[in-house]
Amino acid sequence: ARLAGVPHVWHARERLPLGPRARTAWGRLMLSLADRIICISRAVQAQVPAWGGHARVVVVPDGFDAQALVAQRSADEVRRALGVGDAPLVGMVGRISPIKGHQVFLDAVAQLVQAWPQARFVIVGGALPAYEPLRAALQSQAAAEPLAGRVIFTGELPRSGVIALVQAFDVLGMPTVTMEGFGLVALEAMALGVPVVATHGGPDDFIRDGETGRRARRGSGRRRGSCAQERTTCPRRAISTGSGRS
């Protein structure tokens, strides 16, 4: 870009998978080559100290068309199709991969079963061929007590199907084990009136802990379980907008 004489914009969307020193060096290199670095969250910006407060580094969050965020089926229809009735329903959305924290999700919701034996759990998302063994391990974990018969794996779904499912959740979990760059699905869930429990990272920009959702330490299944239980104690469809159903 520099040789061609055109501006170069670097869009930073996720955690740099490097150690602190290498991340700092790489971030400085990016800064020296780019006319502008656009980070999708403050968490992405904060991973490189040199980016903080720099005039050429800005935070521009992801967005979505709220008008298009309309479920084609009602929550009750979705619940009947899942066979869960009016049971508390906790779900997560994301392609199955190690960083998304599906095992942490299962560890967390297993704690809910003691207080909410009627609760049901949904994992939305498929797996690339390389992660099929992980999917199989998760299904084995879900088939064992105390989760046996309580977890539904939907596989890959079209966007319309994901929206319909999410708006039927009582709580959406986002248990990313590294750092979620932004967490668009959490923001969309909030727009649908669904409470969110997420690990720290990008969601910190729009989740006010205890007010518009709950945040938990990465890898903290116990903390996530207690937060989800707190959210499910609220009457369905009777939680304030932004932290639950209106």
Side-chain angles (χ1 to χ4, degrees):
R2 181 167 296 177
L3 291 175
V6 297
H8 175 223
V9 177
W10 207 313
H11 199 197
R13 302 188 54 83
E14 57 194 14
R15 173 182 176 271
L16 295 173
L18 304 168
R21 290 185 178 179
R23 191 184 308 131
T24 297
W26 180 249
R28 287 175 175 168
L29 176 63
M30 291 171 66
L31 192 57
S32 69
L33 296 175
D35 293 277
R36 186 81 66 183
I37 296 176
I38 300 176
C39 303
I40 61 170
S41 68
R42 287 178 293 180
V44 169
Q45 181 187 33
Q47 66 182 325
V48 180
W51 290 356
H54 199 286
R56 286 188 285 116
V57 181
V58 296
V59 175
V60 179
D62 274 351
F64 61 93
D65 183 358
Q67 299 296 324
L69 202 66
V70 178
Q72 297 178 358
R73 293 190 296 167
S74 71
D76 289 338
E77 289 177 316
V78 172
R79 284 170 163 270
R80 282 196 297 271
L82 291 174
V84 300
D86 202 42
L89 190 61
V90 181
M92 73 169 289
V93 177
R95 179 173 289 173
I96 292 175
S97 71
I99 68 171
K100 289 299 183 182
H102 292 80
Q103 183 177 358
V104 174
F105 175 80
L106 292 178
D107 289 342
V109 299
Q111 300 173 48
L112 292 178
V113 174
Q114 300 176 14
W116 298 91
Q118 72 275 36
R120 295 297 180 266
F121 313 103
V122 180
I123 291 178
V124 182
L128 295 173
Y131 296 136
E132 284 296 339
L134 175 58
R135 191 220 298 259
L138 293 169
Q139 289 175 330
S140 295
Q141 182 179 355
E145 294 297 342
L147 293 175
R150 293 183 169 90
V151 183
I152 300 167
F153 289 80
T154 70
E156 198 77 28
L157 292 178
R159 178 166 171 77
S160 60
V162 174
I163 293 172
L165 266 174
V166 170
Q167 55 100 31
F169 291 167
D170 287 295
V171 181
L172 177 124
M174 179 171 282
T176 311
V177 297
T178 53
M179 183 195 79
E180 189 69 41
F182 183 72
L184 184 59
V185 68
L187 193 59
E188 290 175 331
M190 292 168 67
L192 290 167
V194 176
V196 173
V197 179
T199 47
H200 290 285
D204 291 350
D205 285 0
F206 51 84
I207 292 179
R208 294 190 295 274
D209 194 30
E211 185 177 343
T212 60
R214 294 306 304 265
R215 295 180 306 206
R217 295 185 302 276
R218 287 190 288 274
S220 175
R222 182 175 297 277
R223 164 71 170 163
R224 290 184 51 77
S226 62
C227 288
Q229 181 174 340
E230 175 186 311
R231 296 286 88 186
T232 54
T233 58
C234 300
R236 242 181 128 239
R237 296 184 177 86
I239 310 172
S240 63
T241 302
S243 61
R245 303 179 188 281
S246 56

